[in-house]
mmCIF file with all atom_site columns, all heavy atoms in Angstrom:
data_model
loop_
_atom_site.group_PDB
_atom_site.id
_atom_site.type_symbol
_atom_site.label_atom_id
_atom_site.label_alt_id
_atom_site.label_comp_id
_atom_site.label_asym_id
_atom_site.label_entity_id
_atom_site.label_seq_id
_atom_site.pdbx_PDB_ins_code
_atom_site.Cartn_x
_atom_site.Cartn_y
_atom_site.Cartn_z
_atom_site.occupancy
_atom_site.B_iso_or_equiv
_atom_site.pdbx_formal_charge
_atom_site.auth_seq_id
_atom_site.auth_comp_id
_atom_site.auth_asym_id
_atom_site.auth_atom_id
_atom_site.pdbx_PDB_model_num
ATOM 1   N N   . LEU A 1 419 ? 96.931  111.293 166.202 1.00 90.00 ? 419 LEU A N   1
ATOM 2   C CA  . LEU A 1 419 ? 97.427  109.935 166.023 1.00 90.00 ? 419 LEU A CA  1
ATOM 3   C C   . LEU A 1 419 ? 96.353  108.901 165.693 1.00 90.00 ? 419 LEU A C   1
ATOM 4   O O   . LEU A 1 419 ? 96.676  107.729 165.475 1.00 90.00 ? 419 LEU A O   1
ATOM 5   C CB  . LEU A 1 419 ? 98.186  109.490 167.281 1.00 90.00 ? 419 LEU A CB  1
ATOM 6   C CG  . LEU A 1 419 ? 99.438  110.304 167.613 1.00 90.00 ? 419 LEU A CG  1
ATOM 7   C CD1 . LEU A 1 419 ? 100.078 109.816 168.906 1.00 90.00 ? 419 LEU A CD1 1
ATOM 8   C CD2 . LEU A 1 419 ? 100.444 110.249 166.475 1.00 90.00 ? 419 LEU A CD2 1
ATOM 9   N N   . ILE A 1 420 ? 95.089  109.301 165.675 1.00 93.00 ? 420 ILE A N   1
ATOM 10  C CA  . ILE A 1 420 ? 94.016  108.352 165.330 1.00 93.00 ? 420 ILE A CA  1
ATOM 11  C C   . ILE A 1 420 ? 93.190  108.853 164.154 1.00 93.00 ? 420 ILE A C   1
ATOM 12  O O   . ILE A 1 420 ? 93.188  108.254 163.072 1.00 93.00 ? 420 ILE A O   1
ATOM 13  C CB  . ILE A 1 420 ? 93.100  108.087 166.549 1.00 93.00 ? 420 ILE A CB  1
ATOM 14  C CG1 . ILE A 1 420 ? 93.884  107.419 167.681 1.00 93.00 ? 420 ILE A CG1 1
ATOM 15  C CG2 . ILE A 1 420 ? 91.922  107.205 166.136 1.00 93.00 ? 420 ILE A CG2 1
ATOM 16  C CD1 . ILE A 1 420 ? 93.074  107.164 168.935 1.00 93.00 ? 420 ILE A CD1 1
ATOM 17  N N   . TRP A 1 421 ? 92.498  109.970 164.341 1.00 95.00 ? 421 TRP A N   1
ATOM 18  C CA  . TRP A 1 421 ? 91.498  110.395 163.362 1.00 95.00 ? 421 TRP A CA  1
ATOM 19  C C   . TRP A 1 421 ? 92.061  110.816 162.018 1.00 95.00 ? 421 TRP A C   1
ATOM 20  O O   . TRP A 1 421 ? 91.432  110.549 160.979 1.00 95.00 ? 421 TRP A O   1
ATOM 21  C CB  . TRP A 1 421 ? 90.622  111.483 163.971 1.00 95.00 ? 421 TRP A CB  1
ATOM 22  C CG  . TRP A 1 421 ? 89.794  110.925 165.088 1.00 95.00 ? 421 TRP A CG  1
ATOM 23  C CD1 . TRP A 1 421 ? 89.974  111.097 166.425 1.00 95.00 ? 421 TRP A CD1 1
ATOM 24  C CD2 . TRP A 1 421 ? 88.689  110.030 164.954 1.00 95.00 ? 421 TRP A CD2 1
ATOM 25  N NE1 . TRP A 1 421 ? 89.052  110.379 167.143 1.00 95.00 ? 421 TRP A NE1 1
ATOM 26  C CE2 . TRP A 1 421 ? 88.247  109.720 166.260 1.00 95.00 ? 421 TRP A CE2 1
ATOM 27  C CE3 . TRP A 1 421 ? 88.030  109.465 163.865 1.00 95.00 ? 421 TRP A CE3 1
ATOM 28  C CZ2 . TRP A 1 421 ? 87.162  108.873 166.500 1.00 95.00 ? 421 TRP A CZ2 1
ATOM 29  C CZ3 . TRP A 1 421 ? 86.959  108.611 164.089 1.00 95.00 ? 421 TRP A CZ3 1
ATOM 30  C CH2 . TRP A 1 421 ? 86.543  108.330 165.397 1.00 95.00 ? 421 TRP A CH2 1
ATOM 31  N N   . PRO A 1 422 ? 93.222  111.460 161.920 1.00 96.00 ? 422 PRO A N   1
ATOM 32  C CA  . PRO A 1 422 ? 93.744  111.780 160.586 1.00 96.00 ? 422 PRO A CA  1
ATOM 33  C C   . PRO A 1 422 ? 93.958  110.547 159.718 1.00 96.00 ? 422 PRO A C   1
ATOM 34  O O   . PRO A 1 422 ? 93.763  110.596 158.497 1.00 96.00 ? 422 PRO A O   1
ATOM 35  C CB  . PRO A 1 422 ? 95.072  112.484 160.878 1.00 96.00 ? 422 PRO A CB  1
ATOM 36  C CG  . PRO A 1 422 ? 94.929  113.030 162.253 1.00 96.00 ? 422 PRO A CG  1
ATOM 37  C CD  . PRO A 1 422 ? 94.089  112.023 162.980 1.00 96.00 ? 422 PRO A CD  1
ATOM 38  N N   . TYR A 1 423 ? 94.329  109.424 160.341 1.00 96.00 ? 423 TYR A N   1
ATOM 39  C CA  . TYR A 1 423 ? 94.576  108.202 159.581 1.00 96.00 ? 423 TYR A CA  1
ATOM 40  C C   . TYR A 1 423 ? 93.270  107.516 159.200 1.00 96.00 ? 423 TYR A C   1
ATOM 41  O O   . TYR A 1 423 ? 93.186  106.878 158.145 1.00 96.00 ? 423 TYR A O   1
ATOM 42  C CB  . TYR A 1 423 ? 95.488  107.276 160.384 1.00 96.00 ? 423 TYR A CB  1
ATOM 43  C CG  . TYR A 1 423 ? 96.797  107.941 160.703 1.00 96.00 ? 423 TYR A CG  1
ATOM 44  C CD1 . TYR A 1 423 ? 97.040  108.501 161.951 1.00 96.00 ? 423 TYR A CD1 1
ATOM 45  C CD2 . TYR A 1 423 ? 97.774  108.086 159.722 1.00 96.00 ? 423 TYR A CD2 1
ATOM 46  C CE1 . TYR A 1 423 ? 98.233  109.149 162.222 1.00 96.00 ? 423 TYR A CE1 1
ATOM 47  C CE2 . TYR A 1 423 ? 98.969  108.738 159.991 1.00 96.00 ? 423 TYR A CE2 1
ATOM 48  C CZ  . TYR A 1 423 ? 99.184  109.274 161.240 1.00 96.00 ? 423 TYR A CZ  1
ATOM 49  O OH  . TYR A 1 423 ? 100.358 109.937 161.508 1.00 96.00 ? 423 TYR A OH  1
ATOM 50  N N   . ILE A 1 424 ? 92.255  107.638 160.037 1.00 95.00 ? 424 ILE A N   1
ATOM 51  C CA  . ILE A 1 424 ? 90.937  107.117 159.682 1.00 95.00 ? 424 ILE A CA  1
ATOM 52  C C   . ILE A 1 424 ? 90.407  107.851 158.456 1.00 95.00 ? 424 ILE A C   1
ATOM 53  O O   . ILE A 1 424 ? 89.882  107.248 157.512 1.00 95.00 ? 424 ILE A O   1
ATOM 54  C CB  . ILE A 1 424 ? 89.975  107.250 160.869 1.00 95.00 ? 424 ILE A CB  1
ATOM 55  C CG1 . ILE A 1 424 ? 90.376  106.282 161.984 1.00 95.00 ? 424 ILE A CG1 1
ATOM 56  C CG2 . ILE A 1 424 ? 88.523  107.001 160.436 1.00 95.00 ? 424 ILE A CG2 1
ATOM 57  C CD1 . ILE A 1 424 ? 89.536  106.387 163.242 1.00 95.00 ? 424 ILE A CD1 1
ATOM 58  N N   . VAL A 1 425 ? 90.540  109.167 158.450 1.00 97.00 ? 425 VAL A N   1
ATOM 59  C CA  . VAL A 1 425 ? 90.060  109.964 157.316 1.00 97.00 ? 425 VAL A CA  1
ATOM 60  C C   . VAL A 1 425 ? 90.874  109.659 156.062 1.00 97.00 ? 425 VAL A C   1
ATOM 61  O O   . VAL A 1 425 ? 90.327  109.408 154.982 1.00 97.00 ? 425 VAL A O   1
ATOM 62  C CB  . VAL A 1 425 ? 90.125  111.467 157.654 1.00 97.00 ? 425 VAL A CB  1
ATOM 63  C CG1 . VAL A 1 425 ? 89.793  112.304 156.421 1.00 97.00 ? 425 VAL A CG1 1
ATOM 64  C CG2 . VAL A 1 425 ? 89.154  111.804 158.785 1.00 97.00 ? 425 VAL A CG2 1
ATOM 65  N N   . ASN A 1 426 ? 92.203  109.683 156.179 1.00 97.00 ? 426 ASN A N   1
ATOM 66  C CA  . ASN A 1 426 ? 93.068  109.476 155.009 1.00 97.00 ? 426 ASN A CA  1
ATOM 67  C C   . ASN A 1 426 ? 92.934  108.070 154.446 1.00 97.00 ? 426 ASN A C   1
ATOM 68  O O   . ASN A 1 426 ? 92.792  107.889 153.229 1.00 97.00 ? 426 ASN A O   1
ATOM 69  C CB  . ASN A 1 426 ? 94.521  109.735 155.399 1.00 97.00 ? 426 ASN A CB  1
ATOM 70  C CG  . ASN A 1 426 ? 95.485  109.516 154.252 1.00 97.00 ? 426 ASN A CG  1
ATOM 71  O OD1 . ASN A 1 426 ? 95.656  110.371 153.383 1.00 97.00 ? 426 ASN A OD1 1
ATOM 72  N ND2 . ASN A 1 426 ? 96.136  108.361 154.213 1.00 97.00 ? 426 ASN A ND2 1
ATOM 73  N N   . ASN A 1 427 ? 92.956  107.054 155.331 1.00 96.00 ? 427 ASN A N   1
ATOM 74  C CA  . ASN A 1 427 ? 92.977  105.666 154.869 1.00 96.00 ? 427 ASN A CA  1
ATOM 75  C C   . ASN A 1 427 ? 91.604  105.180 154.430 1.00 96.00 ? 427 ASN A C   1
ATOM 76  O O   . ASN A 1 427 ? 91.447  104.647 153.334 1.00 96.00 ? 427 ASN A O   1
ATOM 77  C CB  . ASN A 1 427 ? 93.496  104.749 155.980 1.00 96.00 ? 427 ASN A CB  1
ATOM 78  C CG  . ASN A 1 427 ? 94.880  105.107 156.460 1.00 96.00 ? 427 ASN A CG  1
ATOM 79  O OD1 . ASN A 1 427 ? 95.485  106.075 156.019 1.00 96.00 ? 427 ASN A OD1 1
ATOM 80  N ND2 . ASN A 1 427 ? 95.389  104.322 157.402 1.00 96.00 ? 427 ASN A ND2 1
ATOM 81  N N   . TYR A 1 428 ? 90.604  105.347 155.313 1.00 96.00 ? 428 TYR A N   1
ATOM 82  C CA  . TYR A 1 428 ? 89.329  104.682 155.109 1.00 96.00 ? 428 TYR A CA  1
ATOM 83  C C   . TYR A 1 428 ? 88.293  105.535 154.380 1.00 96.00 ? 428 TYR A C   1
ATOM 84  O O   . TYR A 1 428 ? 87.341  104.998 153.815 1.00 96.00 ? 428 TYR A O   1
ATOM 85  C CB  . TYR A 1 428 ? 88.747  104.249 156.457 1.00 96.00 ? 428 TYR A CB  1
ATOM 86  C CG  . TYR A 1 428 ? 89.710  103.471 157.327 1.00 96.00 ? 428 TYR A CG  1
ATOM 87  C CD1 . TYR A 1 428 ? 89.649  103.560 158.714 1.00 96.00 ? 428 TYR A CD1 1
ATOM 88  C CD2 . TYR A 1 428 ? 90.678  102.645 156.768 1.00 96.00 ? 428 TYR A CD2 1
ATOM 89  C CE1 . TYR A 1 428 ? 90.530  102.852 159.516 1.00 96.00 ? 428 TYR A CE1 1
ATOM 90  C CE2 . TYR A 1 428 ? 91.562  101.935 157.566 1.00 96.00 ? 428 TYR A CE2 1
ATOM 91  C CZ  . TYR A 1 428 ? 91.487  102.041 158.941 1.00 96.00 ? 428 TYR A CZ  1
ATOM 92  O OH  . TYR A 1 428 ? 92.363  101.347 159.729 1.00 96.00 ? 428 TYR A OH  1
ATOM 93  N N   . MET A 1 429 ? 88.457  106.854 154.398 1.00 96.00 ? 429 MET A N   1
ATOM 94  C CA  . MET A 1 429 ? 87.485  107.716 153.726 1.00 96.00 ? 429 MET A CA  1
ATOM 95  C C   . MET A 1 429 ? 88.022  108.263 152.406 1.00 96.00 ? 429 MET A C   1
ATOM 96  O O   . MET A 1 429 ? 87.324  108.259 151.393 1.00 96.00 ? 429 MET A O   1
ATOM 97  C CB  . MET A 1 429 ? 87.087  108.852 154.669 1.00 96.00 ? 429 MET A CB  1
ATOM 98  C CG  . MET A 1 429 ? 86.389  108.342 155.927 1.00 96.00 ? 429 MET A CG  1
ATOM 99  S SD  . MET A 1 429 ? 86.172  109.598 157.211 1.00 96.00 ? 429 MET A SD  1
ATOM 100 C CE  . MET A 1 429 ? 84.977  110.672 156.431 1.00 96.00 ? 429 MET A CE  1
ATOM 101 N N   . LEU A 1 430 ? 89.271  108.720 152.403 1.00 97.00 ? 430 LEU A N   1
ATOM 102 C CA  . LEU A 1 430 ? 89.873  109.166 151.149 1.00 97.00 ? 430 LEU A CA  1
ATOM 103 C C   . LEU A 1 430 ? 90.423  108.000 150.336 1.00 97.00 ? 430 LEU A C   1
ATOM 104 O O   . LEU A 1 430 ? 90.692  108.130 149.142 1.00 97.00 ? 430 LEU A O   1
ATOM 105 C CB  . LEU A 1 430 ? 90.996  110.167 151.435 1.00 97.00 ? 430 LEU A CB  1
ATOM 106 C CG  . LEU A 1 430 ? 90.546  111.528 151.976 1.00 97.00 ? 430 LEU A CG  1
ATOM 107 C CD1 . LEU A 1 430 ? 91.760  112.359 152.394 1.00 97.00 ? 430 LEU A CD1 1
ATOM 108 C CD2 . LEU A 1 430 ? 89.731  112.288 150.945 1.00 97.00 ? 430 LEU A CD2 1
ATOM 109 N N   . GLY A 1 431 ? 90.610  106.856 150.986 1.00 96.00 ? 431 GLY A N   1
ATOM 110 C CA  . GLY A 1 431 ? 91.084  105.671 150.271 1.00 96.00 ? 431 GLY A CA  1
ATOM 111 C C   . GLY A 1 431 ? 92.534  105.752 149.867 1.00 96.00 ? 431 GLY A C   1
ATOM 112 O O   . GLY A 1 431 ? 92.952  105.144 148.878 1.00 96.00 ? 431 GLY A O   1
ATOM 113 N N   . LYS A 1 432 ? 93.346  106.468 150.637 1.00 96.00 ? 432 LYS A N   1
ATOM 114 C CA  . LYS A 1 432 ? 94.752  106.638 150.312 1.00 96.00 ? 432 LYS A CA  1
ATOM 115 C C   . LYS A 1 432 ? 95.613  105.834 151.293 1.00 96.00 ? 432 LYS A C   1
ATOM 116 O O   . LYS A 1 432 ? 95.341  105.816 152.489 1.00 96.00 ? 432 LYS A O   1
ATOM 117 C CB  . LYS A 1 432 ? 95.154  108.110 150.385 1.00 96.00 ? 432 LYS A CB  1
ATOM 118 C CG  . LYS A 1 432 ? 94.404  109.010 149.413 1.00 96.00 ? 432 LYS A CG  1
ATOM 119 C CD  . LYS A 1 432 ? 94.844  110.465 149.600 1.00 96.00 ? 432 LYS A CD  1
ATOM 120 C CE  . LYS A 1 432 ? 94.100  111.390 148.648 1.00 96.00 ? 432 LYS A CE  1
ATOM 121 N NZ  . LYS A 1 432 ? 94.511  112.812 148.851 1.00 96.00 ? 432 LYS A NZ  1
ATOM 122 N N   . LYS A 1 433 ? 96.659  105.224 150.785 1.00 93.00 ? 433 LYS A N   1
ATOM 123 C CA  . LYS A 1 433 ? 97.606  104.567 151.671 1.00 93.00 ? 433 LYS A CA  1
ATOM 124 C C   . LYS A 1 433 ? 98.356  105.618 152.481 1.00 93.00 ? 433 LYS A C   1
ATOM 125 O O   . LYS A 1 433 ? 98.641  106.706 151.973 1.00 93.00 ? 433 LYS A O   1
ATOM 126 C CB  . LYS A 1 433 ? 98.611  103.734 150.871 1.00 93.00 ? 433 LYS A CB  1
ATOM 127 C CG  . LYS A 1 433 ? 98.033  102.453 150.303 1.00 93.00 ? 433 LYS A CG  1
ATOM 128 C CD  . LYS A 1 433 ? 99.135  101.616 149.681 1.00 93.00 ? 433 LYS A CD  1
ATOM 129 C CE  . LYS A 1 433 ? 98.573  100.282 149.205 1.00 93.00 ? 433 LYS A CE  1
ATOM 130 N NZ  . LYS A 1 433 ? 99.649  99.425  148.616 1.00 93.00 ? 433 LYS A NZ  1
ATOM 131 N N   . PRO A 1 434 ? 98.668  105.327 153.736 1.00 93.00 ? 434 PRO A N   1
ATOM 132 C CA  . PRO A 1 434 ? 99.388  106.317 154.537 1.00 93.00 ? 434 PRO A CA  1
ATOM 133 C C   . PRO A 1 434 ? 100.758 106.610 153.951 1.00 93.00 ? 434 PRO A C   1
ATOM 134 O O   . PRO A 1 434 ? 101.379 105.756 153.322 1.00 93.00 ? 434 PRO A O   1
ATOM 135 C CB  . PRO A 1 434 ? 99.486  105.665 155.923 1.00 93.00 ? 434 PRO A CB  1
ATOM 136 C CG  . PRO A 1 434 ? 99.281  104.210 155.680 1.00 93.00 ? 434 PRO A CG  1
ATOM 137 C CD  . PRO A 1 434 ? 98.382  104.105 154.500 1.00 93.00 ? 434 PRO A CD  1
ATOM 138 N N   . PHE A 1 435 ? 101.230 107.810 154.203 1.00 91.00 ? 435 PHE A N   1
ATOM 139 C CA  . PHE A 1 435 ? 102.506 108.280 153.662 1.00 91.00 ? 435 PHE A CA  1
ATOM 140 C C   . PHE A 1 435 ? 103.660 107.583 154.385 1.00 91.00 ? 435 PHE A C   1
ATOM 141 O O   . PHE A 1 435 ? 103.596 107.383 155.599 1.00 91.00 ? 435 PHE A O   1
ATOM 142 C CB  . PHE A 1 435 ? 102.604 109.794 153.855 1.00 91.00 ? 435 PHE A CB  1
ATOM 143 C CG  . PHE A 1 435 ? 103.792 110.426 153.208 1.00 91.00 ? 435 PHE A CG  1
ATOM 144 C CD1 . PHE A 1 435 ? 103.813 110.663 151.846 1.00 91.00 ? 435 PHE A CD1 1
ATOM 145 C CD2 . PHE A 1 435 ? 104.907 110.785 153.965 1.00 91.00 ? 435 PHE A CD2 1
ATOM 146 C CE1 . PHE A 1 435 ? 104.917 111.244 151.241 1.00 91.00 ? 435 PHE A CE1 1
ATOM 147 C CE2 . PHE A 1 435 ? 106.016 111.366 153.369 1.00 91.00 ? 435 PHE A CE2 1
ATOM 148 C CZ  . PHE A 1 435 ? 106.015 111.593 151.995 1.00 91.00 ? 435 PHE A CZ  1
ATOM 149 N N   . PRO A 1 436 ? 104.710 107.183 153.679 1.00 92.00 ? 436 PRO A N   1
ATOM 150 C CA  . PRO A 1 436 ? 105.870 106.564 154.355 1.00 92.00 ? 436 PRO A CA  1
ATOM 151 C C   . PRO A 1 436 ? 106.537 107.550 155.313 1.00 92.00 ? 436 PRO A C   1
ATOM 152 O O   . PRO A 1 436 ? 106.911 108.649 154.921 1.00 92.00 ? 436 PRO A O   1
ATOM 153 C CB  . PRO A 1 436 ? 106.809 106.213 153.190 1.00 92.00 ? 436 PRO A CB  1
ATOM 154 C CG  . PRO A 1 436 ? 105.944 106.193 151.981 1.00 92.00 ? 436 PRO A CG  1
ATOM 155 C CD  . PRO A 1 436 ? 104.879 107.208 152.219 1.00 92.00 ? 436 PRO A CD  1
ATOM 156 N N   . PHE A 1 437 ? 106.684 107.143 156.568 1.00 92.00 ? 437 PHE A N   1
ATOM 157 C CA  . PHE A 1 437 ? 107.273 108.017 157.583 1.00 92.00 ? 437 PHE A CA  1
ATOM 158 C C   . PHE A 1 437 ? 108.047 107.149 158.554 1.00 92.00 ? 437 PHE A C   1
ATOM 159 O O   . PHE A 1 437 ? 107.478 106.284 159.220 1.00 92.00 ? 437 PHE A O   1
ATOM 160 C CB  . PHE A 1 437 ? 106.178 108.806 158.294 1.00 92.00 ? 437 PHE A CB  1
ATOM 161 C CG  . PHE A 1 437 ? 106.681 109.903 159.200 1.00 92.00 ? 437 PHE A CG  1
ATOM 162 C CD1 . PHE A 1 437 ? 107.947 110.431 159.063 1.00 92.00 ? 437 PHE A CD1 1
ATOM 163 C CD2 . PHE A 1 437 ? 105.870 110.413 160.204 1.00 92.00 ? 437 PHE A CD2 1
ATOM 164 C CE1 . PHE A 1 437 ? 108.406 111.444 159.891 1.00 92.00 ? 437 PHE A CE1 1
ATOM 165 C CE2 . PHE A 1 437 ? 106.306 111.433 161.039 1.00 92.00 ? 437 PHE A CE2 1
ATOM 166 C CZ  . PHE A 1 437 ? 107.582 111.948 160.877 1.00 92.00 ? 437 PHE A CZ  1
ATOM 167 N N   . ASP A 1 438 ? 109.362 107.370 158.639 1.00 91.00 ? 438 ASP A N   1
ATOM 168 C CA  . ASP A 1 438 ? 110.212 106.488 159.436 1.00 91.00 ? 438 ASP A CA  1
ATOM 169 C C   . ASP A 1 438 ? 109.829 106.463 160.914 1.00 91.00 ? 438 ASP A C   1
ATOM 170 O O   . ASP A 1 438 ? 109.832 105.407 161.552 1.00 91.00 ? 438 ASP A O   1
ATOM 171 C CB  . ASP A 1 438 ? 111.690 106.854 159.271 1.00 91.00 ? 438 ASP A CB  1
ATOM 172 C CG  . ASP A 1 438 ? 111.973 108.334 159.500 1.00 91.00 ? 438 ASP A CG  1
ATOM 173 O OD1 . ASP A 1 438 ? 111.041 109.082 159.832 1.00 91.00 ? 438 ASP A OD1 1
ATOM 174 O OD2 . ASP A 1 438 ? 113.139 108.747 159.337 1.00 91.00 ? 438 ASP A OD2 1
ATOM 175 N N   . LEU A 1 439 ? 109.478 107.611 161.479 1.00 89.00 ? 439 LEU A N   1
ATOM 176 C CA  . LEU A 1 439 ? 109.103 107.657 162.902 1.00 89.00 ? 439 LEU A CA  1
ATOM 177 C C   . LEU A 1 439 ? 107.876 106.806 163.176 1.00 89.00 ? 439 LEU A C   1
ATOM 178 O O   . LEU A 1 439 ? 107.793 106.111 164.197 1.00 89.00 ? 439 LEU A O   1
ATOM 179 C CB  . LEU A 1 439 ? 108.852 109.093 163.332 1.00 89.00 ? 439 LEU A CB  1
ATOM 180 C CG  . LEU A 1 439 ? 110.074 109.983 163.570 1.00 89.00 ? 439 LEU A CG  1
ATOM 181 C CD1 . LEU A 1 439 ? 109.636 111.404 163.892 1.00 89.00 ? 439 LEU A CD1 1
ATOM 182 C CD2 . LEU A 1 439 ? 110.939 109.436 164.685 1.00 89.00 ? 439 LEU A CD2 1
ATOM 183 N N   . LEU A 1 440 ? 106.897 106.851 162.267 1.00 89.00 ? 440 LEU A N   1
ATOM 184 C CA  . LEU A 1 440 ? 105.668 106.094 162.478 1.00 89.00 ? 440 LEU A CA  1
ATOM 185 C C   . LEU A 1 440 ? 105.872 104.605 162.181 1.00 89.00 ? 440 LEU A C   1
ATOM 186 O O   . LEU A 1 440 ? 105.193 103.756 162.760 1.00 89.00 ? 440 LEU A O   1
ATOM 187 C CB  . LEU A 1 440 ? 104.542 106.666 161.624 1.00 89.00 ? 440 LEU A CB  1
ATOM 188 C CG  . LEU A 1 440 ? 104.071 108.059 162.057 1.00 89.00 ? 440 LEU A CG  1
ATOM 189 C CD1 . LEU A 1 440 ? 103.027 108.606 161.103 1.00 89.00 ? 440 LEU A CD1 1
ATOM 190 C CD2 . LEU A 1 440 ? 103.519 108.028 163.484 1.00 89.00 ? 440 LEU A CD2 1
ATOM 191 N N   . TYR A 1 441 ? 106.806 104.291 161.289 1.00 90.00 ? 441 TYR A N   1
ATOM 192 C CA  . TYR A 1 441 ? 107.160 102.883 161.090 1.00 90.00 ? 441 TYR A CA  1
ATOM 193 C C   . TYR A 1 441 ? 107.708 102.310 162.388 1.00 90.00 ? 441 TYR A C   1
ATOM 194 O O   . TYR A 1 441 ? 107.324 101.219 162.828 1.00 90.00 ? 441 TYR A O   1
ATOM 195 C CB  . TYR A 1 441 ? 108.192 102.756 159.973 1.00 90.00 ? 441 TYR A CB  1
ATOM 196 C CG  . TYR A 1 441 ? 108.680 101.337 159.762 1.00 90.00 ? 441 TYR A CG  1
ATOM 197 C CD1 . TYR A 1 441 ? 108.013 100.471 158.901 1.00 90.00 ? 441 TYR A CD1 1
ATOM 198 C CD2 . TYR A 1 441 ? 109.806 100.861 160.434 1.00 90.00 ? 441 TYR A CD2 1
ATOM 199 C CE1 . TYR A 1 441 ? 108.458 99.171  158.715 1.00 90.00 ? 441 TYR A CE1 1
ATOM 200 C CE2 . TYR A 1 441 ? 110.256 99.561  160.256 1.00 90.00 ? 441 TYR A CE2 1
ATOM 201 C CZ  . TYR A 1 441 ? 109.578 98.728  159.394 1.00 90.00 ? 441 TYR A CZ  1
ATOM 202 O OH  . TYR A 1 441 ? 110.011 97.434  159.217 1.00 90.00 ? 441 TYR A OH  1
ATOM 203 N N   . TRP A 1 442 ? 108.642 103.048 163.005 1.00 91.00 ? 442 TRP A N   1
ATOM 204 C CA  . TRP A 1 442 ? 109.191 102.606 164.297 1.00 91.00 ? 442 TRP A CA  1
ATOM 205 C C   . TRP A 1 442 ? 108.090 102.520 165.349 1.00 91.00 ? 442 TRP A C   1
ATOM 206 O O   . TRP A 1 442 ? 108.051 101.579 166.140 1.00 91.00 ? 442 TRP A O   1
ATOM 207 C CB  . TRP A 1 442 ? 110.268 103.595 164.746 1.00 91.00 ? 442 TRP A CB  1
ATOM 208 C CG  . TRP A 1 442 ? 110.662 103.418 166.179 1.00 91.00 ? 442 TRP A CG  1
ATOM 209 C CD1 . TRP A 1 442 ? 111.573 102.560 166.684 1.00 91.00 ? 442 TRP A CD1 1
ATOM 210 C CD2 . TRP A 1 442 ? 110.127 104.132 167.299 1.00 91.00 ? 442 TRP A CD2 1
ATOM 211 N NE1 . TRP A 1 442 ? 111.652 102.678 168.052 1.00 91.00 ? 442 TRP A NE1 1
ATOM 212 C CE2 . TRP A 1 442 ? 110.765 103.633 168.451 1.00 91.00 ? 442 TRP A CE2 1
ATOM 213 C CE3 . TRP A 1 442 ? 109.171 105.135 167.437 1.00 91.00 ? 442 TRP A CE3 1
ATOM 214 C CZ2 . TRP A 1 442 ? 110.475 104.114 169.727 1.00 91.00 ? 442 TRP A CZ2 1
ATOM 215 C CZ3 . TRP A 1 442 ? 108.871 105.611 168.701 1.00 91.00 ? 442 TRP A CZ3 1
ATOM 216 C CH2 . TRP A 1 442 ? 109.525 105.102 169.831 1.00 91.00 ? 442 TRP A CH2 1
ATOM 217 N N   . ASN A 1 443 ? 107.178 103.492 165.343 1.00 86.00 ? 443 ASN A N   1
ATOM 218 C CA  . ASN A 1 443 ? 106.112 103.532 166.335 1.00 86.00 ? 443 ASN A CA  1
ATOM 219 C C   . ASN A 1 443 ? 105.212 102.303 166.247 1.00 86.00 ? 443 ASN A C   1
ATOM 220 O O   . ASN A 1 443 ? 104.728 101.802 167.264 1.00 86.00 ? 443 ASN A O   1
ATOM 221 C CB  . ASN A 1 443 ? 105.285 104.808 166.145 1.00 86.00 ? 443 ASN A CB  1
ATOM 222 C CG  . ASN A 1 443 ? 104.275 105.017 167.247 1.00 86.00 ? 443 ASN A CG  1
ATOM 223 O OD1 . ASN A 1 443 ? 104.621 105.031 168.426 1.00 86.00 ? 443 ASN A OD1 1
ATOM 224 N ND2 . ASN A 1 443 ? 103.011 105.169 166.887 1.00 86.00 ? 443 ASN A ND2 1
#
Side-chain angles (χ1 to χ4, degrees):
L419 297 178
I420 297 178
W421 293 105
Y423 301 100
I424 290 177
V425 173
N426 179 80
N427 302 3
Y428 309 148
M429 297 169 68
L430 291 172
K432 299 178 181 179
K433 286 187 176 181
F435 187 78
F437 190 20
D438 51 2
L439 284 176
L440 292 176
Y441 176 88
W442 167 85
N443 188 55

